[in-house]
Amino acid sequence: MKTQLLDLQKYLSDNNYDIAYISDPTDINYFTGFYSDPVERILALIVFPDKDPFIFAPALEVNSVKKAGWDLDVFGYLDNEDGWGMLADHIKQVENNPIKWATEKDNLTVQKFEIVKKHFPNAEFPGNLSRYMENARLIKTPEEIENLKAAGKEADYAFSVAFDAIKEGRTEQDVVAEIEYAMMKKGVMHMSFDTIVQAGANAANPHGGPEKNLLKKNELILFDLGTVHNGYISDASRTVAFGKPNDKALDIYKVDLEAQYAAMDAAKPGITAAELDKVARDIIDKAGYGEYFIHRLGHGMGTSEHEFPSIMEGNDMVLKPGMCFSIEPGIYIPNEAGVRIEDCVYLTEDGNEPFTHTSKELKYID
């Protein structure tokens, strides 16, 4: 049984919980090595404090669960069967009347909660596994770091493909297609999020995406991408120059790069998340672009692209070795240009190491 599951069993025991019901696919993957989005079907990992856990899954996933390395019980159900009733029966065979439940309150829908209550009318739900998971995934193990490094190498390759794909007459969406096709040919079948390519003024929308905009000379082009490696993700951003952008765009890039480098240098154990955010924000504020830096400096990452810790103002969490997070200052001037430069890093005993190594000095593409 994985160490993560043993730790969860201890948590249940220490808090006198009878059962943990886990339904978030990312959390299930963290504990078991198996990932699947069940869509409307039932996928659950059931954990007890002192008995073996089991997985309940659609019948079509049972072999995949075993192939992923799960060597404990896995029970399947067919679409025409009463899945919830079967799951309740399997639980009762192990723990006849579990009263105190721990669930992912950020993930459990009202509908599923009501179904569980129907089958276990005496159940109480004091445990919030959402908070437990945030802390459990906060410090990465050496094995997790190695998977994140591998994902980072894949992201670096994706950047090389992306830069080569920049040509007049192509759209942002054309470039995305080239990136993802090249990654699939390399055996990387999943990006960690929808690949972002934004040119010129479109890059001023930090939560925008690729459109049918034609790439034009003398504009900045922003890339934000990542891959999934053994369930662990990469996430990085680079901004490049197609031709020679105007002086304002070049100044934005210069300031953002200075802020990113300064935050990278400052990221080490002992600094707080708020202090690290301030390092980058002060540089951008001083240059007169503070109103255009409209998001936090970074977010945690691991098996998903948004985990703890959140690197932002007001978060006084002290950063520690093994924490993994992004450092991604951005400057977005509406109707003009946008720049974001991002690396995800892991903290060492005295500093940090990035997972991506693509150069951040402004690259000019003719």
Side-chain angles (χ1 to χ4, degrees):
M1 195 183 303
K2 291 181 70 172
T3 301
Q4 292 93 326
L5 271 173
L6 295 173
D7 290 342
L8 176 57
Q9 286 186 315
K10 184 177 186 304
Y11 167 79
L12 297 177
S13 179
D14 289 347
N15 289 277
N16 297 314
Y17 296 140
D18 299 316
I19 187 172
Y21 171 85
I22 301 167
S23 57
D24 185 322
T26 302
D27 291 343
I28 292 174
N29 177 57
Y30 175 79
F31 287 115
T32 71
F34 170 74
Y35 179 86
S36 177
D37 182 351
V39 194
E40 78 281 3
R41 296 183 173 99
I42 306 166
L43 175 64
L45 170 65
I46 306 300
V47 184
F48 306 92
D50 55 358
K51 302 178 183 70
D52 283 345
F54 69 80
I55 292 176
F56 187 79
L60 54 83
E61 298 279 22
V62 168
N63 286 336
S64 296
V65 172
K66 295 176 180 178
K67 187 177 179 180
W70 180 257
D71 57 4
L72 299 172
D73 284 338
V74 52
F75 304 107
Y77 79 101
L78 299 173
D79 288 342
N80 64 327
E81 294 181 307
D82 176 13
W84 287 105
M86 294 171 65
L87 173 57
D89 288 343
H90 287 300
I91 291 173
K92 291 173 182 177
Q93 288 174 19
V94 179
E95 183 70 32
N96 182 52
N97 186 29
I99 302 296
K100 296 181 68 175
W101 289 58
T103 62
E104 302 143 310
K105 294 189 177 181
D106 290 2
N107 178 260
L108 186 64
T109 66
V110 173
Q111 179 193 33
K112 291 178 181 177
F113 172 79
E114 289 177 344
I115 293 173
V116 172
K117 281 290 290 182
K118 174 184 174 183
H119 288 281
F120 297 92
N122 297 323
E124 301 170 0
F125 297 86
N128 189 357
L129 289 177
S130 296
R131 302 290 81 78
Y132 173 85
M133 292 305 304
E134 287 171 347
N135 289 290
R137 288 154 62 174
L138 189 57
I139 306 296
K140 269 56 178 185
T141 66
E143 180 183 1
E144 289 179 299
I145 296 292
E146 290 305 310
N147 280 315
L148 291 166
K149 285 181 179 178
K153 287 182 180 179
E154 293 169 354
D156 282 329
Y157 177 75
F159 280 129
S160 68
V161 172
F163 301 158
D164 288 344
I166 295 174
K167 291 180 175 58
E168 281 191 288
R170 288 184 173 172
T171 67
E172 297 166 349
Q173 293 175 352
D174 291 335
V175 176
V176 169
E178 287 219 19
I179 295 168
E180 298 194 352
Y181 177 58
M183 298 311 293
M184 287 183 179
K185 288 204 301 182
K186 195 173 176 65
V188 178
M189 301 308 293
H190 300 286
M191 307 302 283
S192 48
F193 51 89
D194 291 341
T195 301
I196 295 172
V197 177
Q198 295 171 288
N202 190 33
N205 180 2
H207 258 188
E211 298 179 359
K212 292 183 179 180
N213 297 328
L214 288 172
L215 305 186
K216 301 173 185 176
K217 279 291 189 75
N218 306 323
E219 291 185 332
L220 294 175
I221 303 177
L222 188 157
F223 297 87
D224 192 345
L225 54 81
T227 68
V228 181
H229 183 91
N230 290 340
Y232 288 81
I233 67 102
S234 51
D235 179 6
S237 300
R238 293 292 186 269
T239 304
V240 301
F242 186 28
K244 184 170 174 45
N246 62 40
D247 290 344
K248 181 71 168 293
L250 295 178
D251 189 56
I252 294 168
Y253 189 92
K254 176 177 174 292
V255 171
D256 199 66
L257 181 61
E258 181 184 353
Q260 211 266 352
Y261 274 142
M264 292 283 286
D265 288 343
K268 60 188 64 176
I271 193 171
T272 69
E275 289 168 343
L276 184 55
D277 179 276
K278 189 173 186 298
V279 169
R281 200 166 300 277
D282 282 352
I283 290 171
I284 294 174
D285 283 342
K286 184 178 179 180
Y289 297 118
E291 66 182 294
Y292 303 114
F293 181 13
I294 52 179
H295 56 70
R296 60 190 172 182
L297 178 65
H299 54 78
M301 48 83 72
T303 52
S304 64
E305 67 270 21
H306 282 182
E307 299 184 359
F308 264 21
S310 187
I311 311 301
M312 66 179 186
E313 182 180 1
N315 183 4
D316 293 327
M317 176 183 286
V318 176
L319 304 183
K320 299 178 181 179
M323 290 185 178
C324 300
F325 51 84
S326 67
I327 297 176
E328 50 178 308
I331 300 173
Y332 314 93
I333 301 182
N335 304 314
E336 292 191 41
V339 173
R340 184 166 61 254
I341 303 168
E342 172 190 15
D343 291 297
C344 288
V345 305
Y346 66 96
L347 290 195
T348 62
E349 292 298 325
D350 56 3
N352 72 82
E353 291 290 339
F355 294 115
T356 40
H357 300 278
T358 298
S359 175
K360 290 175 284 196
E361 296 303 317
L362 184 58
K363 182 180 180 66
Y364 287 88
I365 298 171
D366 294 326

